[in-house]
Amino acid sequence: MQSIEVVRIPMRGPGDVTGLAELLARGTVRADEILAILGKTEGNGLVNDFTREYAVETVATLLADAMHASRTDIARRIAIVMSGGTEGVLSPHMTVFARRWTSKTAPAGKRLAVGIGSTRELQPHEVGRMAQIQVTAEAVRAAIADAGIDDTADVHFVQVKCPLLRVADIESARSLGEKTVTLETRESMAWSRGASALGVAIALGELPEEAVRERDVLAHRTLYSSVASCSAGNEQKHVSVIVFGMSLTSASPYAIAHRAMRDPIDADAVRGALADLGIAPADAARRVVNVLAKAEADPTGHVRGARHTMLSDADLDATRHARAAAGAVIASVVGQTTLYVSGGAEHQGPPGGGPVAVIAKVD
């Protein structure tokens, strides 16, 4: 049996790995057991947010030293995903997912299972296009198999880290006679997130492959995955995938459930995910180890009939507004602020909403 251990570690800054170092020193988990690390850093979450790259590098360096491995080996063996932006009450942190093998008797029912996958490096002209959709789908299928999940209905959250386009990438494509999907670096984040999300939907059978066309990216928001969470960054050129689900092959003391938030203030969806795990809101602070969620400003410009100004604010990007709003709502339900809430939910949940997944200790 596999057993997934989940440890959430506060961070004092994007380069703070003292908590992870202490975790390894205590022997709570071994470095070679770590499967994935998912974190939130306090940057702006946009193209120039180098807190993500800094955090990935410091974590990878620590693990390379601990495992006497190269930085390349760490990138191949462990999915390290950092999402920028901790607006409002959200608190910077990382969550460590470790997998160990055990001979203990299988518990009654399914438990938390985690798997990882990755793609080749994408060329700049492939970002946001069918090539990205297809390789992401392949990586998701590999991650599902790695997790030991045999039914896609048991997949509750798929975290994707995908590349964005920098000015140098756009110029490189142009010099080779290729055309990128956009000439705007910030817009490239949405294109990349959207393409990866559609890849997730195809891999899980939420959408038939023949129903997804390249021209659907950002154009037809009714095409989406109910469990995809995609974050674009400048720290990598390939697509990394972490699949979270439930499996009979797991003896983990944790479980996961998800719902779809229809907008950033959908507290009922969070309560629903808690209820699926048999957790009363009053008990959430004790049992919940993290909440993973996506949020976005509704593209119609309204939330439940009232006009919002998130999309017309020239000072703050809409993703920052959405993270702050959804983060506060989720925190008010679970009584915690150390939460993984990511902005920009193109094709990730219903338009204006996004998936929310709760990972909690089985009582």
Side-chain angles (χ1 to χ4, degrees):
M1 300 288 291
Q2 62 172 310
S3 182
I4 301 295
E5 184 61 47
V6 186
V7 184
R8 183 173 52 184
I9 304 171
M11 296 173 67
R12 293 174 294 187
D16 178 23
V17 292
T18 55
L20 178 58
E22 291 170 1
L23 186 72
L24 298 176
R26 291 196 306 268
T28 305
V29 298
R30 298 197 315 265
D32 61 359
E33 295 174 329
I34 296 176
L35 192 63
I37 295 179
L38 187 59
K40 288 296 299 184
T41 63
E42 61 257 50
N44 59 25
L46 302 177
V47 176
N48 65 342
D49 183 355
F50 297 104
T51 65
R52 298 174 303 219
E53 184 177 12
Y54 183 31
V56 169
E57 189 61 33
T58 53
V59 167
T61 298
L62 173 66
L63 294 176
D65 290 343
M67 298 171 67
H68 306 290
S70 69
R71 176 70 175 78
T72 301
D73 288 337
I74 296 302
R76 178 177 53 83
R77 297 171 59 175
I78 301 172
I80 305 174
V81 174
M82 294 291 169
S83 171
T86 52
E87 295 82 3
V89 298
L90 295 175
S91 181
H93 69 283
M94 69 175 77
T95 304
V96 178
F97 297 89
R99 179 168 60 191
R100 56 176 61 108
W101 302 98
T102 176
S103 59
K104 68 169 62 174
T105 304
K110 299 174 181 179
R111 296 292 179 89
L112 176 68
V114 179
I116 62 173
S118 64
T119 73
R120 60 172 173 80
E121 288 193 356
L122 292 176
Q123 297 301 309
H125 67 274
E126 295 179 314
V127 173
R129 293 203 165 109
M130 185 55 73
Q132 182 172 355
I133 295 173
Q134 292 171 335
V135 297
T136 301
E138 293 170 4
V140 172
R141 294 186 186 105
I144 292 172
D146 183 49
I149 297 172
D150 56 14
D151 186 348
T152 55
D154 287 325
V155 174
H156 290 277
F157 203 77
V158 179
Q159 179 60 49
V160 175
K161 188 68 182 187
C162 47
L164 53 78
L165 293 175
R166 300 166 299 178
V167 172
D169 298 320
I170 296 170
E171 290 304 314
S172 174
R174 180 180 294 164
S175 69
L176 296 173
E178 300 286 358
K179 184 178 180 182
T180 54
V181 70
T182 177
L183 299 179
E184 299 293 334
T185 56
R186 186 176 297 190
E187 285 183 4
S188 75
M189 301 180 76
W191 284 98
S192 186
R193 290 190 299 253
S196 282
L198 290 174
V200 174
I202 289 172
L204 296 181
E206 296 175 292
L207 294 172
E209 188 166 5
E210 61 273 13
V212 178
R213 301 156 299 181
E214 186 171 282
R215 63 178 179 269
D216 291 325
V217 182
L218 302 188
H220 295 96
R221 296 294 191 94
T222 54
L223 301 176
Y224 64 83
S225 167
S226 61
V227 296
S229 169
C230 305
S231 176
N234 53 14
E235 60 268 32
Q236 64 185 49
K237 295 185 180 296
H238 64 284
V239 177
S240 297
V241 174
I242 310 173
V243 164
F244 301 89
M246 298 282 278
S247 174
L248 288 172
T249 69
S250 175
S252 174
Y254 299 93
I256 184 171
H258 83 280
R259 291 290 183 97
M261 296 179 73
R262 61 189 178 102
D263 53 41
I265 62 171
D266 189 3
D268 285 342
V270 185
R271 297 188 189 99
L274 289 172
D276 291 342
L277 295 172
I279 301 175
D283 204 27
R286 178 178 70 87
R287 289 180 54 188
V288 172
V289 68
N290 211 334
V291 178
L292 317 178
K294 283 298 284 191
E296 74 166 348
D298 193 305
T300 67
H302 292 79
V303 174
R304 304 196 187 186
R307 185 173 69 90
H308 71 73
T309 61
M310 292 185 276
L311 295 170
S312 56
D313 187 344
D315 297 317
L316 284 178
D317 189 82
T319 58
R320 307 192 71 185
H321 283 284
R323 277 193 297 267
V329 169
I330 296 170
S332 71
V333 176
V334 300
Q336 301 177 9
T337 62
T338 311
L339 309 167
Y340 183 92
V341 181
S342 175
E346 304 84 2
H347 304 287
Q348 303 153 69
V356 57
V358 176
I359 301 175
K361 190 96 170 180
V362 176
D363 212 1

